Amino acid sequence: MYRFLLTPRWWGINLFVVLAIPFCVFMGTWQLGRFEDRVQSHEQATKQPDPSTRAAKPLDELLPVDKVTSGRPAVATGTYADQFLVPGRELDERQGFYVLSLLRTDGGKALPVVRGWLPGTAGSVPVPAAPQGEVTVTGDLQASENIHSDGVDTRGGLPAGQLGMISAASLVNLVDYDVYDAWVTLPGAETGGTGGAMKPVPAAAPQGSGLDLKAFQNLGYTGEWFVFAGFVLFMWFRLVRREAEAVRDVALGLVPEGEEADAAAGVAGTEAVQVPESPKTPETSKTPETAQGS
């Protein structure tokens, strides 16, 4: 009854099932591993002291930014140069923008410094000027933003002097000097009161270090992949059962007249149903009169 499983059509179905189930199990296991990694990193982060409470170190000693150095106080000395506004940033459930100034260090590279946050629309609110001369700043170190960072504007077309993403890749096209692949946010108002009207921007936790929405998305994807594997197996058993029932019905002659050929065509590997041929009309014998007339 199950000889149809060896037909070419069923070889293709069986091959798909054999490949699909391990693939779904592999993807589900991989997503589960991603979720477990995030849980582990979150537990490790909760056991460590707050990075902002640790002793400040020179900027170059904390680069490149990773999950350990993110949020650590970094010290840099230089002179403020270009300034940009970063619109569309929310703080305390209010819309506003960051004030970003580039600190030219002694080595020539510039460090993006978020001096603070202001409410309102960028370009329509007065912005405090950056301190003049050489300054030493101590700010919480942050990794460059990407398209997945909160508040990032990737649409482009921003007015001159505005920036949608705080990253070296974005700034390198706007200035003629090198920029660090990192930035710092000042934890308080600037010395001298020039930034007194701005609110400090708190440092964000490094991406992938906590139980955020993406972590639970990994857990949801885990369940989806295992459900897909079960669905493939369920559909294979269902198709086999339906095919076997069709073979049995054909063998027992239970298929209604007129549907027998269709049922047999749908059962691969079964014997073809012989449809009786229509009887041929016998030739009419010629009578002597017909023969004489011809």
Side-chain angles (χ1 to χ4, degrees):
M1 181 181 294
Y2 293 97
R3 287 182 299 171
F4 59 84
L5 292 173
L6 302 179
T7 60
R9 181 169 69 90
W10 273 96
W11 268 111
I13 296 175
N14 296 335
L15 180 62
F16 171 79
V17 173
V18 169
L19 296 178
I21 292 179
F23 176 77
C24 292
V25 173
F26 168 77
M27 292 300 299
T29 306
W30 179 72
Q31 290 289 351
L32 182 60
R34 293 286 302 274
F35 174 75
E36 292 176 345
D37 291 341
R38 290 179 182 271
V39 172
Q40 184 177 5
S41 62
H42 174 70
E43 292 177 349
Q44 292 176 351
T46 55
K47 295 178 181 178
Q48 295 179 356
D50 187 355
S52 61
T53 62
R54 305 179 69 176
K57 287 188 175 183
L59 174 66
D60 292 333
E61 295 183 13
L62 299 176
L63 296 178
V65 185
D66 54 22
K67 293 181 180 181
V68 176
T69 61
S70 179
R72 289 281 302 271
V75 180
T77 301
T79 304
Y80 280 118
D82 296 276
Q83 180 168 283
F84 299 92
L85 306 180
V86 187
R89 299 307 173 100
E90 184 176 325
L91 185 64
D92 297 334
E93 299 183 355
R94 299 177 62 190
Q95 285 293 330
F97 58 94
Y98 293 167
V99 179
L100 176 72
S101 299
L102 297 181
L103 183 71
R104 295 288 301 272
T105 62
D106 296 336
K109 297 184 70 173
L111 173 66
V113 178
V114 174
R115 295 169 45 228
W117 173 90
L118 287 172
T121 304
S124 62
V125 178
V127 178
Q132 299 294 319
E134 187 176 75
V135 295
T136 298
V137 300
T138 301
D140 297 333
L141 188 63
Q142 299 280 266
S144 292
E145 294 181 334
N146 54 57
I147 58 175
H148 302 293
S149 302
D150 294 336
V152 167
D153 185 354
T154 58
R155 296 173 298 176
L158 294 175
Q162 296 188 20
L163 188 68
M165 180 190 305
I166 307 176
S167 68
S170 299
L171 288 165
V172 72
N173 298 320
L174 302 177
V175 296
D176 57 358
Y177 42 83
D178 293 334
V179 180
Y180 281 103
D181 190 19
W183 58 284
V184 298
T185 174
L186 300 183
E190 295 170 336
T191 304
T194 56
M198 297 186 291
K199 288 186 176 183
V201 177
Q207 292 187 356
S209 62
L211 295 179
D212 53 6
L213 179 60
K214 291 183 179 180
F216 290 101
Q217 284 180 343
N218 292 134
L219 186 60
Y221 294 151
T222 300
E224 289 182 0
W225 281 113
F226 287 129
V227 169
F228 290 159
F231 179 74
V232 171
L233 189 60
F234 166 76
M235 289 302 299
W236 183 84
F237 276 110
R238 184 174 180 180
L239 290 174
V240 170
R241 181 179 178 182
R242 187 174 64 178
E243 195 89 353
E245 290 176 350
V247 172
R248 183 193 60 188
D249 292 345
V250 171
L252 297 177
L254 300 178
V255 180
E257 185 178 356
E259 298 181 6
E260 185 175 355
D262 296 336
V267 179
T270 60
E271 296 181 0
V273 177
Q274 298 295 329
V275 180
E277 297 181 356
S278 301
K280 296 183 179 180
T281 303
E283 294 184 1
T284 305
S285 58
K286 294 183 180 182
T287 61
E289 289 81 5
T290 305
Q292 292 179 1
S294 60

